[in-house]
Amino acid sequence: MAEKIHRDYIEIPEGIEVEVVGGKKVVVRGPKGSIEKDFSKTPAYLGLENGKVVVEVRWKGKRGFALLNTILSHLKNMFTGVTKGYVYKLKAYYIHFPIDVYVDGDYVVIKNFVGERGLRKARILPGVKVEVVKKGGDIDLIVTGIDKEAVGQTAANIMQATKIKNKDPRVFLDGIYLYEKGVGDG
């Protein structure tokens, strides 16, 4: 049975340096920093030709096209990250017990959540910056970085740390929720 090769490319924008190591690892450098991504677990080969990143996937059918487009999307996200960065904005919401949120090293610490005495912690991934902005009773968390996956996972860790269990979610609405995400100053 012959192997089908799907092939596509993405042009490298100006001001960005791309290095392909061994046909499986991509390093993208730009004004905001550098991102490294490893595609060694996929049946794909990456290369550079005339200012373009060429992706070849050795997988027939729809799955080959899906994998090809996934890798191209990862590369686009890396290009956007090193030029503009990503920003996720979260808001702390509480009814009765006032929440206190602060950053302690590699963790976001949430105190007095639903009146609990213990602390809740959410891990901050490397390369991501979390800023806590307090205006009166409002608490906003601004998560910024150049790697879209790391920024999104950090925001998800913060939201997951304030998940309420064994209570009715329609009544107990306390928590930290995402209200805006986009491209910006990362």
Side-chain angles (χ1 to χ4, degrees):
M1 186 162 85
E3 219 173 46
K4 175 74 175 163
I5 298 176
H6 301 289
R7 181 183 169 101
D8 204 352
Y9 65 90
I10 183 169
E11 292 194 23
I12 301 171
E14 286 186 35
I16 293 178
E17 244 181 72
V18 177
E19 180 184 348
V20 177
V21 181
K24 293 289 187 177
K25 189 181 287 187
V26 178
V27 180
V28 178
R29 292 181 191 86
K32 297 232 178 232
S34 68
I35 304 174
E36 183 177 310
K37 195 156 296 277
D38 189 10
F39 296 104
S40 63
K41 300 205 183 230
T42 61
Y45 174 79
L46 291 94
L48 293 173
E49 289 179 11
N50 302 330
K52 300 174 185 176
V53 179
V54 178
V55 182
E56 290 181 353
V57 175
R58 299 177 186 280
W59 208 351
K60 68 177 190 171
K62 292 183 204 175
R63 290 185 182 193
F65 280 119
L67 180 61
L68 179 70
N69 290 327
T70 299
I71 293 171
L72 292 174
S73 293
H74 278 294
L75 292 171
K76 286 178 192 173
N77 290 338
M78 290 168 76
F79 295 161
T80 304
V82 296
T83 54
K84 299 175 186 171
Y86 291 98
V87 177
Y88 281 45
K89 295 181 181 178
L90 299 103
K91 186 174 284 296
Y93 179 77
Y94 57 89
I95 295 289
H96 186 268
F97 297 102
I99 299 174
D100 186 26
V101 181
Y102 58 91
V103 177
D104 183 24
D106 290 342
Y107 289 92
V108 173
V109 181
I110 301 120
K111 278 176 71 173
N112 199 35
F113 181 71
V114 196
E116 293 176 350
R117 290 184 183 186
L119 302 176
R120 291 193 178 205
K121 292 184 176 184
R123 189 167 161 263
I124 301 172
L125 270 61
V128 178
K129 188 178 124 202
V130 178
E131 181 183 351
V132 179
V133 180
K134 297 178 182 178
K135 292 179 265 177
D138 289 346
I139 300 172
D140 284 354
L141 287 90
I142 300 168
V143 183
T144 57
I146 60 172
D147 188 0
K148 187 176 186 177
E149 290 178 20
V151 173
Q153 186 61 54
T154 300
N157 290 345
I158 295 168
M159 289 188 294
Q160 191 69 30
T162 59
K163 187 174 180 184
I164 296 179
K165 297 174 185 158
N166 302 325
K167 290 187 173 128
D168 190 356
R170 297 170 295 178
V171 176
F172 294 91
L173 298 172
D174 294 18
I176 298 177
Y177 300 103
L178 179 72
Y179 70 90
E180 184 181 333
K181 63 182 178 178
V183 176
D185 302 330

